[in-house]
Amino acid sequence: MEFAEKTAVVTGGSRGIGRAICLALAQRGANVVLCYAGSEAAAQETASACQAAGGKALAVQCDVSDAQQVDGLMKAAIAAFGRIDILVNNAGVTRDGLLMTMKETDFDQVLNANLKGAFLCTKAVARGMIKQHWGRIINLSSVVGLRGNAGQANYAASKAGLLGLTKSTAKELASRGITANAVAPGFIETDMTAALPQKAREAMLPTIPMGRAGSPEDVAQAVCFLAGESAGYITGQVLCVDGGMAV
């Protein structure tokens, strides 16, 4: 029970990679506060699964691009469990389209959810982590943030921005016992990738040296490593979970 007595806030925790992260943390004893934007039913199901896995869980609806709602999320976590030890900035959206035809609103929505949301959540937990001289901040970037991708200028920009945010956070908070790292997943089997046309999926596989897609659990294991004591001297780094795509 590596994370017994520790509390983790996971944004976008109701499904996909976020759900796998919540379950992996709960299995290791963490109190899990999962933030969701849409389906309450999915969030409550994930919270129940976390409790069945051995942890305590709370589901809180929150738009992470809204500072007031983020403040409410963190207050709810502290009210329930007394402290916040781990923050996983996983919430994200896509609004794909070619650069020349992309709407300004589609660019803004993706940057607000994926990058501004991580900034607001990090800012909201930093003071408490400094006071307790311990904290883990893990940002979910993407291989797209490292390589770019046609038709995803907004998404790639948001995920690349997370890398800069991660490194700057690491430098500011390292002396207080707080680490900040990023995980960059590649092609992972989720609802988002399941919606891709079959031809796009078939074209993606040859770009992966391991020859297969990853699973949400693959990403969750990397997050748990960075959240644990074993990674206490690792900060400002990017861990690719991509089967070799970014090599």
Side-chain angles (χ1 to χ4, degrees), residues 108-229:
D108 289 344
Q109 286 175 0
V110 171
L111 268 289
N112 283 340
N114 298 7
L115 182 55
K116 181 183 176 182
F119 158 71
L120 290 175
C121 289
T122 300
K123 183 178 179 180
V125 303
R127 193 177 301 276
M129 288 183 176
I130 288 171
K131 287 182 178 179
Q132 65 200 27
H133 296 282
W134 201 96
R136 298 285 189 267
I137 298 168
I138 302 156
N139 296 321
L140 268 291
S141 181
S142 169
V143 65
V144 170
L146 295 166
R147 298 177 54 186
N149 197 34
Q152 288 192 308
N154 49 3
Y155 187 74
S158 70
K159 294 301 185 177
L162 281 173
L163 302 181
L165 177 64
T166 298
K167 292 177 181 295
S168 297
T169 302
K171 288 188 174 183
E172 289 190 22
L173 301 181
S175 65
R176 307 302 182 93
I178 301 163
T179 67
N181 292 287
V183 174
F187 186 53
I188 306 297
E189 292 286 6
T190 64
D191 291 345
M192 188 182 296
T193 56
L196 291 172
Q198 185 61 30
K199 286 186 177 180
R201 294 171 61 85
E202 291 174 356
M204 185 77 72
L205 287 178
T207 70
I208 306 171
M210 291 191 72
R212 64 172 180 84
S215 71
E217 290 72 26
D218 290 326
V219 181
Q221 295 302 316
V223 170
C224 285
F225 166 67
L226 291 173
E229 293 290 352

